[in-house]
Amino acid sequence: MLQATPLTDGWILRHDGGELPAAVPGCVHTDLLAAGVIPDPFLGRNETGVEWVAHREWTYERDLNATAAHERTDLVLDGLDTVAEILLDGRLLGRVRNMHRSHRFDVTGLHGRLTVRFASAYTAAEEVHDLVGERPAAYPEPYPYLRKMACSFGWDWGPTLVTAGIWRPVRLEHWSTARIARVRPLVRVQQGVGVVELHVDVERTRIEAELSVTATVDGIRAHTQVDGAGAVVRLEVPDPEVWWPRGYGEHPLYDVELTLRQNGEPLDRWHRRIGFRNVALDTSADAHGTGFALVVNGERLFARGVNWIPDDVFPSRVTRARYRERLAQAAGAGVDLVRVWGGGIYESEDFYDACDELGLMVWQDFPFACAAYPEEQPLRGEVEAEARENVVRLMPHPSLVLWNGNNENLWGFRDWGWEERLAGDSWGEGYYLGVLPRVVAELDPTRPYTAGSPWSGSWEHHPNDPAHGTHHSWEVWNRTDYADYRRQVPRFVAEFGWQAPPAYATLRRALPGEELASDSPGMLHHQKADDGNGKLERGLARHFSLPEGDFDRWHYLTQVNQARAVAAGIEHWRSHWPVCAGTVVWQLNDCWPVTSWAAIDGDGRPKPLYHELRRLYADRLLTLQHRDGRLVLAAVNQSAEPWTGPVTLRRMSVAGDVLGAASLAFTAAPRAVATVRVPAEMEPTGPKEFLVADTGGTTPRRALHFPAPDREIPYVRPEFEVTVAPGAVTVAARTLVRDLLLQADRLHPDAAADRGLVTLLPGEEVTIAVHGWQTPDAALARAALYCVEPT
């Protein structure tokens, strides 16, 4: 039987003629940090002081003994970052140059000193650049020339910390006669029967050995002989429990086990969990253009999505528990789709396991982002090898519903001046429209593939045409006001977002001793977007008077503006289902403490946007929208049951007076949107008025409509009472209190509130649950409460 021996202990890192303890999995930066050689690059401006690390060669070593009673011993390295040579007592075992794939070397009977020597990523990239020529990219870093996590070279939300190291596990595998080299599980539901086809590849030491494979799932067993180097085993499960995305049903998983045998004796085993479901992509043309809608088990979905970046710029630090926590946060916000963005990595099994269990659909980018990628060797062969390995590796996961060729490269070719600069040189089109769809069609025909995001489906339309396929909406953040989200109804919004700073406690930890200001040195260093603070302030000035010299007020208002901006987009686009079939917010998470588009900051603290997503992505959403110059009430019902009832409308003054009232009836069918015109006399007539819409029932919904920017609204000064109890803060409003926010982390760095922005009408109250605050104090609670105030 195959035996695996982990090689986690005994590693050292060569540094300046000496030895440092090395953690495997890990990387050079984390080893140097643990040894006290470098400061924490996440704090202050330490990032710039550790740039030297990326420009050196680094060597890992340990003793290795591959002698065993088996016929064969392989050294298996699941991930090397990135360009390295592997030696045993000075004998070259092999050279590698791809972070995104594993490597295997025959070391049968060998022993001695194992050395893994890494080249500087910059040096290796320069060599490829000199070989293939210049390629344009969104950032002045050489990431297109290596198969490496692109964002380690920095991004508009990430630090430049270019890693090297053994970032995934290493082991010895001892085996005899044969081993299971690869299993491709094709899983589908056909006429109520769950079908599993296991395509098995076998590696042998004995060609003549008669081999068989036995597979089991849910008590069903199948057996077949191995023909040469492979076999196919088919299992059929009657009436299986079907895997559904969250919000549509349960997410049952089935254990599948396959055993390779010789004369009845087991040689090797393969085990995974699968889910029975069918997935398709509806890109049919209609009166509005070309659609883009995910279809799971025959159900067409509005995808409530977030974009995912690596949760740490040092990915080896992300544990199974951390993946689970972050993805549970996503599910808790109503998210049902997570897009693994193309400037990162193929995530670990822990990520996809959590998505399987939580019912989170996964849209998986192949790792290409914001650059023209050469199609010559040595890159081309690596691209195909990595794609083949990772498609097969991730196939068992029912959460995986879509393969995507790249992030923004088709758009970049057309709009960012690449076409002229390339002058006919290769740039990646052959990957996205050739290699990758061919690999997916061959290996994983159960899932759809799309060439890129954004992508209109063909060169007949602009790649980022909102009427065709996927759309990235960045003109709004970059140049205009978030109200402009309402000007378009894209078929599928795969990226859009608005920046805000992280939580106060996150800033205090990341910038120790600094007097915080929007433009203080540390704040500017932890703002990586081009003109990021300028865009923040211009976006703020369209709605509020800028709080000169008041950091706390600036911090609160920019977080409010982020939540409102994303709300403006999602409410509008959801109300246009089924024309628009999804929104994927940029972004869920951060890889370090930074001002960014994230809903959860680099220390794992939710921003107000996170809590707003819980409202925006709920199965039932009430929103007030303009249609043809008139105000309408839209009841968005993504649940499986009809949503009916009266809505109470109140036209109110900001002083708290009710100026008019009415009741509207509505019926929203399951998975549908109902719109009802607001009576003309109920529409606010100026900045002193606003409209409130409330439903009843066990889970009431509220929609608010303020017709003017806050800076034009003559608010009365907010008045409210605050009382505290263990684990709770209660606020009772005497006036209109708009966008009340308890910044719980100001009470204690470990404190967290169960909700974000809340608007209270006069006489209303809210109780906010607070965890991690052991000494309740009303005065401290009041000091941590913020709301919109008169100009």
Side-chain angles (χ1 to χ4, degrees):
M1 186 72 175
L2 183 145
Q3 296 178 343
T5 305
L7 301 181
T8 54
D9 300 326
W11 290 93
I12 61 99
L13 175 67
R14 294 284 179 193
H15 172 62
D16 287 351
E19 299 179 359
L20 298 176
V24 172
C27 72
V28 170
H29 285 84
T30 52
D31 289 332
L32 295 176
L33 181 61
V37 175
I38 62 171
D40 188 340
F42 285 14
L43 302 185
R45 289 177 283 172
N46 290 342
E47 173 199 355
T48 58
V50 301
E51 290 176 351
W52 59 271
V53 176
H55 294 274
R56 288 194 182 184
E57 293 184 355
W58 294 96
T59 298
Y60 285 80
E61 293 180 4
R62 64 155 286 159
D63 289 331
L64 179 75
N65 185 351
T67 57
H70 290 75
E71 296 172 352
R72 172 85 170 262
T73 297
D74 291 336
L75 172 66
V76 183
L77 304 110
D78 284 339
L80 297 178
D81 176 17
T82 292
V83 177
E85 56 182 15
I86 300 94
L87 306 102
L88 189 62
D89 275 351
R91 170 193 167 189
L92 181 67
L93 298 178
R95 295 186 174 91
V96 302
R97 52 183 316 109
N98 192 331
M99 178 183 184
H100 302 303
R101 56 180 293 212
S102 64
H103 298 87
R104 177 181 292 267
F105 302 100
D106 182 354
V107 292
T108 305
L110 302 179
H111 59 87
R113 194 68 171 169
L114 177 64
T115 300
V116 185
R117 184 178 300 138
F118 291 92
S120 160
Y122 282 105
T123 301
E126 184 178 357
E127 292 172 355
V128 177
H129 170 275
D130 292 344
L131 182 66
V132 303
E134 181 71 18
R135 295 297 191 279
Y139 302 99
E141 293 282 341
Y143 59 92
Y145 304 103
L146 293 176
R147 297 310 298 151
K148 174 176 172 60
M149 184 176 84
C151 65
S152 70
F153 288 94
W155 220 260
D156 55 5
W157 37 257
T160 302
L161 294 167
V162 183
T163 52
I166 305 172
W167 77 290
R168 280 186 165 159
V170 183
R171 64 189 175 278
L172 290 175
E173 288 189 357
H174 311 281
W175 54 281
S176 297
T177 305
R179 71 174 185 91
I180 298 170
R182 186 176 78 166
V183 179
R184 287 195 303 118
L186 300 179
V187 183
R188 57 176 68 87
V189 180
Q190 295 178 337
Q191 299 178 332
V193 176
V195 178
V196 184
E197 283 186 6
L198 301 176
H199 294 250
V200 186
D201 294 339
V202 171
E203 183 180 10
R204 296 169 175 263
T205 58
R206 300 183 189 179
I207 301 299
E208 74 285 356
E210 293 186 3
L211 305 175
S212 65
V213 288
T214 303
T216 60
V217 59
D218 196 38
I220 306 297
R221 182 184 178 92
H223 177 87
T224 191
Q225 296 299 119
V226 175
D227 181 10
V232 178
V233 190
R234 181 183 173 97
L235 301 106
E236 296 187 356
V237 178
D239 300 317
E241 295 183 63
V242 177
W243 188 96
W244 285 98
R246 62 167 307 282
Y248 289 83
E250 299 303 313
H251 337 297
L253 300 172
Y254 289 77
D255 289 285
V256 177
E257 186 170 283
L258 181 136
T259 303
L260 175 67
R261 301 176 186 274
Q262 181 192 26
N263 299 325
E265 294 298 316
L267 299 175
D268 197 1
R269 283 195 178 94
W270 177 92
H271 172 266
R272 297 293 186 275
R273 292 186 306 171
I274 63 166
F276 289 104
R277 59 100 186 95
N278 294 330
V279 62
L281 185 65
D282 181 2
T283 57
S284 55
D286 56 27
H288 304 280
T290 308
F292 189 96
L294 287 165
V295 183
V296 179
N297 301 324
E299 183 86 50
R300 198 167 179 270
L301 314 178
F302 183 98
R304 294 169 280 187
V306 288
N307 281 276
W308 170 277
I309 66 171
D311 205 52
D312 196 314
V313 75
F314 305 129
S316 59
R317 297 200 299 199
V318 184
T319 62
R320 185 176 182 85
R322 182 164 160 184
Y323 275 123
R324 179 73 189 204
E325 176 188 5
R326 196 72 67 243
L327 290 165
Q329 286 177 304
V335 169
D336 60 20
L337 180 138
V338 179
R339 176 190 173 209
V340 181
W341 168 75
I345 57 177
Y346 306 93
E347 292 286 351
S348 80
E349 295 298 319
D350 297 332
F351 174 93
Y352 304 96
D353 285 347
C355 291
D356 292 343
E357 295 162 4
L358 293 166
L360 293 171
M361 296 180 289
V362 175
W363 160 333
Q364 177 70 52
D365 281 14
F366 287 96
F368 301 89
C370 300
Y373 283 79
E375 297 176 37
E376 291 78 17
Q377 298 293 5
L379 292 168
R380 187 179 184 88
E382 290 293 341
V383 166
E384 178 152 355
E386 123 197 359
R388 288 182 171 278
E389 177 175 337
N390 284 285
V391 165
V392 172
R393 177 173 74 88
L394 301 183
M395 281 175 63
H397 295 283
S399 56
L400 179 59
V401 297
L402 181 68
W403 294 105
N404 176 52
N406 75 90
N407 176 74
E408 297 190 343
N409 295 344
L410 298 160
W411 181 21
F413 177 76
R414 180 53 50 89
D415 269 8
W416 300 350
W418 296 358
E419 192 167 1
E420 296 80 7
R421 292 172 60 187
L422 285 163
D425 285 344
S426 67
W427 57 276
E429 183 182 28
Y431 297 145
Y432 320 134
L433 299 178
V435 173
L436 298 177
R438 170 172 54 79
V439 168
V440 171
E442 175 192 337
L443 299 178
D444 187 16
T446 67
R447 289 179 178 87
Y449 170 89
T450 184
S453 185
W455 179 232
S456 58
S458 78
W459 289 114
E460 294 179 6
H461 307 288
H462 187 280
N464 201 28
D465 188 333
H468 300 277
T470 49
H471 177 68
H472 288 196
S473 181
W474 285 116
E475 285 297 299
V476 172
W477 155 254
N478 284 321
R479 294 179 174 84
T480 68
D481 180 53
Y482 61 70
D484 288 348
Y485 285 134
R486 303 186 184 104
R487 292 179 176 270
Q488 291 182 328
V489 183
R491 306 313 304 269
F492 193 106
V493 188
E495 283 190 19
F496 78 106
W498 207 267
Q499 274 201 349
Y504 180 79
T506 300
L507 289 172
R508 282 271 59 109
R509 186 192 70 81
L511 304 175
E514 178 163 311
E515 183 177 347
L516 294 177
S518 63
D519 60 352
S520 61
M523 286 294 295
L524 291 178
H525 185 80
H526 288 250
Q527 163 63 278
K528 296 297 187 180
D530 182 35
D531 192 30
N533 272 19
K535 293 171 185 176
L536 269 179
E537 298 207 353
R538 288 191 293 275
L540 197 60
R542 295 183 181 104
H543 297 270
F544 299 97
S545 297
L546 293 178
E548 300 294 340
D550 186 343
F551 175 80
D552 290 343
R553 195 82 195 146
W554 175 89
H555 180 263
Y556 160 74
L557 289 176
T558 50
Q559 290 196 333
V560 168
N561 222 37
Q562 180 190 39
R564 287 196 194 172
V566 172
I570 293 178
E571 289 189 26
H572 169 65
W573 293 321
R574 280 194 74 182
S575 75
H576 281 279
W577 162 260
V579 176
C580 179
T583 55
V584 189
V585 177
W586 187 271
Q587 65 214 61
L588 174 68
N589 59 327
D590 269 326
C591 64
W592 79 313
V594 65
T595 296
S596 83
W597 297 264
I600 301 169
D601 74 21
D603 280 8
R605 293 187 176 93
K607 300 180 189 177
L609 170 60
Y610 171 81
H611 296 284
E612 184 69 350
L613 286 176
R614 293 167 59 191
R615 179 184 73 86
L616 296 168
Y617 277 165
D619 283 349
R620 291 176 172 176
L621 171 69
L622 197 67
T623 178
L624 290 158
Q625 298 288 321
H626 280 100
R627 296 282 196 278
D628 302 322
R630 292 290 304 277
L631 203 59
V632 301
L633 180 82
V636 181
N637 182 25
Q638 208 160 340
S639 74
E641 301 297 327
W643 186 19
T644 63
V647 173
T648 300
L649 299 180
R650 283 176 286 172
R651 182 166 62 90
M652 299 187 66
S653 73
V654 293
D657 300 318
V658 177
L659 306 176
S663 180
L664 298 179
F666 74 92
T667 299
R671 322 292 191 198
V673 178
T675 58
V676 183
R677 178 168 288 184
V678 171
E681 66 272 15
M682 296 302 298
E683 295 199 24
T685 59
K688 295 182 179 181
E689 299 180 6
F690 64 102
L691 184 62
V692 184
D694 288 301
T695 66
T698 56
T699 310
R701 297 288 188 265
R702 169 173 285 181
L704 297 168
H705 173 68
F706 289 82
D710 293 71
R711 56 185 169 77
E712 298 177 9
I713 298 175
Y715 292 112
V716 298
R717 185 158 297 282
E719 297 180 9
F720 52 85
E721 300 295 329
V722 180
T723 57
V724 299
V729 174
T730 299
V731 179
R734 295 203 295 261
T735 65
L736 171 66
V737 180
R738 190 173 182 193
D739 284 332
L740 179 75
L741 176 66
L742 176 65
Q743 294 192 354
D745 58 289
R746 289 179 180 266
L747 303 173
H748 188 278
D750 295 335
D754 72 336
R755 65 188 64 205
L757 302 170
V758 180
T759 292
L760 299 176
L761 304 182
E764 294 182 336
E765 70 174 41
V766 63
T767 296
I768 304 167
V770 181
H771 307 284
W773 187 31
Q774 305 303 322
T775 56
D777 181 280
L780 289 176
R782 179 173 281 275
L785 285 163
Y786 291 80
C787 65
V788 174
E789 296 181 352
T791 301

